[in-house]
Amino acid sequence: MSSAGAPAGVTWPGTALRILALFGLLYGFLVAIESMSKAIQALADTGMLGGDESEVFSGVHNPFAGLALGILFTVMVQSSSTTTSTIVAVVGSGVLPIEHAVPMIMGANIGTTITNTLVSIGHIRRRVEFRRAFAAATVHDFFNLLCVVVLFPLELATGFLAGAANWLADNLSIQGGSYKSPIKTAVKAGHKAIQSLVESLGAEGGVLGWVMLAVGLAITFLCLSQITRLMKRLLAGRIESAIHRALGGNPLLGMGVGAAITVSVQSSSITTSLMVPLCAAGVMTLELVFPLMLGANIGTTVTAMIASLSQEGSAALAIALVHLLFNLLGVAIVYPFPAVRRIPLVLARALAFAAIRNRLWVLAYVFGAFVVLPLSGWLLWRHA
């Protein structure tokens, strides 16, 4: 017999167990993303990325090469926070001028979107779910691409981002401090437990990196399939209506929620990837998650700001402020204007419909946008 107020056939103990299972799956999903990120970094440490990170970044003098390198490096480590923090350190050391680092910051914004795009592929066997998931993932891609298309040539022509950030850095006085996310600490503990288990089986060096990458991918897809199933049961009916009332009519609140989640877990990829199964399950619409993703873009700038506090001088703070200003300006030039705001939504839906008609579009898009084009640009412009 069901509890009072619960839907027919659903008991509150059963609902409580599903909620606990959902939190467990979300935790497993976050651990899987951490494991993939660490595995890629470990593979980079073996020399597969061409040596020390600072050496890779310090040779960038052409803005197009910088943009391409920002995309490539972020794709490799699956973390714009890692990329921007490294850029902050290199700029703070004086190795890289802020003007050369600005395009790399823009590239990092594009590269970070690959994580939620890869996450959406976990739904590829279910046509309707995949269409929703792929659109939800790529709307973030198209928004960041649109921002770069508008702001990159303006920066080349005027240097306004670097100039404004330098002025703010010179006039701001920020005292040191740090924030250590308890969620991130728990996720790291889960990753270390998995790594210890894999190491106990004899994997080490490059083999360990590849095994951890495979394990992370497997856990991601497993958790996603179960998250979608639970979301359909838990976030339906009155709960779904409450979410729509809370966020659907107030995009600023949605942006605030996206920013807050991202600050708490210190990863925009995690925030945006968590939106994908919600859309796949039909719980949230593309228009509803869009502001949350924009908020995630803003929230992820906190990591670079914190990283800048450990550096001497104002240059590191300036490049961190470039990241913040770029994302704030991106929201300001896209979201308030309906015609402009519809561009990433229309493009994401069109690509999703093409993808369900022919899966080769998925392969062409992921490798074309995140590997082939930036790699070609880097090779073409690095010595220009």
Side-chain angles (χ1 to χ4, degrees):
M1 185 174 178
S2 62
S3 303
V10 177
T11 63
W12 286 117
T15 300
L17 286 175
R18 290 190 185 99
I19 292 174
L20 289 174
L22 177 61
F23 279 110
L25 288 167
L26 289 174
Y27 175 70
F29 174 60
L30 301 185
V31 170
I33 290 178
E34 176 77 3
S35 293
M36 286 191 291
S37 176
K38 295 299 184 185
I40 293 173
Q41 291 178 40
L43 291 171
D45 290 339
T46 65
M48 295 183 67
L49 298 184
D52 181 78
E53 293 169 357
S54 297
E55 292 177 2
V56 174
F57 284 123
S58 63
V60 177
H61 300 291
N62 184 284
F64 294 95
L67 180 68
L69 182 58
I71 297 172
L72 285 172
F73 191 82
T74 307
V75 166
M76 289 176 182
V77 300
Q78 293 192 30
S79 171
S80 62
S81 296
T82 299
T83 304
T84 55
S85 296
T86 303
I87 294 171
V88 165
V90 177
V91 171
S93 70
V95 172
L96 185 66
I98 182 173
E99 292 79 9
H100 294 166
V102 173
M104 294 165 61
I105 291 289
M106 296 183 181
N109 258 39
I110 296 174
T112 193
T113 61
I114 192 175
T115 302
N116 47 297
T117 302
L118 291 175
V119 164
S120 70
I121 298 175
H123 303 274
I124 199 168
R125 290 182 297 176
R126 296 173 291 279
R127 184 182 178 89
V128 175
E129 283 185 15
F130 178 61
R131 175 176 57 78
R132 295 173 184 154
F134 199 58
T138 56
V139 73
H140 191 211
D141 304 7
F142 285 119
F143 169 77
N144 283 335
L145 284 168
L146 179 60
C147 292
V148 170
V149 166
V150 174
L151 295 177
F152 181 64
L154 285 176
E155 177 64 16
L156 291 185
T158 66
F160 76 102
L161 277 173
N166 275 320
W167 183 86
L168 287 171
D170 289 338
N171 288 277
L172 284 176
S173 177
I174 300 178
Q175 299 301 317
S178 63
Y179 165 66
K180 191 173 183 180
S181 166
I183 296 175
K184 195 71 173 177
T185 300
V187 168
K188 285 184 176 180
H191 159 70
K192 288 180 179 179
I194 294 175
Q195 181 169 311
S196 296
L197 176 61
V198 173
E199 288 174 337
S200 70
L201 299 176
E204 59 183 18
V207 174
L208 175 63
W210 287 115
V211 172
M212 288 298 296
L213 181 59
V215 169
L217 286 169
I219 295 175
T220 296
F221 289 126
L222 175 63
C223 289
L224 276 175
S225 63
Q226 296 304 310
I227 286 172
T228 299
R229 184 179 65 83
L230 285 175
M231 286 296 184
K232 289 178 179 177
R233 290 176 175 268
L234 291 171
L235 300 179
R238 291 189 298 271
I239 299 177
E240 179 181 350
S241 299
I243 293 174
H244 280 264
R245 284 197 301 270
L247 299 179
N250 193 336
L252 289 178
L253 177 60
M255 291 179 197
V257 170
I261 295 173
T262 303
V263 169
S264 68
V265 299
Q266 298 184 31
S267 172
S268 61
S269 295
I270 290 176
T271 305
T272 55
S273 295
L274 289 175
M275 297 299 106
V276 170
L278 290 173
C279 282
V283 171
M284 300 180 76
T285 65
L286 197 58
E287 287 78 8
L288 199 60
V289 302
F290 192 32
L292 278 86
M293 292 186 170
L294 303 191
N297 264 19
I298 296 170
T300 195
T301 63
V302 169
T303 305
M305 296 292 289
I306 293 173
S308 72
L309 300 180
S310 64
Q311 301 293 307
E312 296 292 334
S314 62
L317 176 58
I319 194 61
L321 287 168
V322 164
H323 195 202
L324 174 61
L325 291 173
F326 174 72
N327 284 309
L328 287 173
L329 282 171
V331 173
I333 64 177
V334 172
Y335 201 83
F337 309 103
V340 182
R341 183 169 68 238
R342 282 194 293 271
I343 294 174
L345 297 170
V346 170
L347 291 175
R349 285 197 171 101
L351 182 60
F353 275 109
I356 62 172
R357 288 194 295 269
N358 189 337
R359 298 297 193 270
L360 288 177
W361 275 102
V362 179
L363 190 65
Y365 173 72
V366 171
F367 279 94
F370 296 105
V371 179
V372 176
L373 286 178
L375 182 58
S376 299
W378 164 243
L379 293 174
L380 180 64
W381 289 310
R382 63 179 298 184
H383 298 302

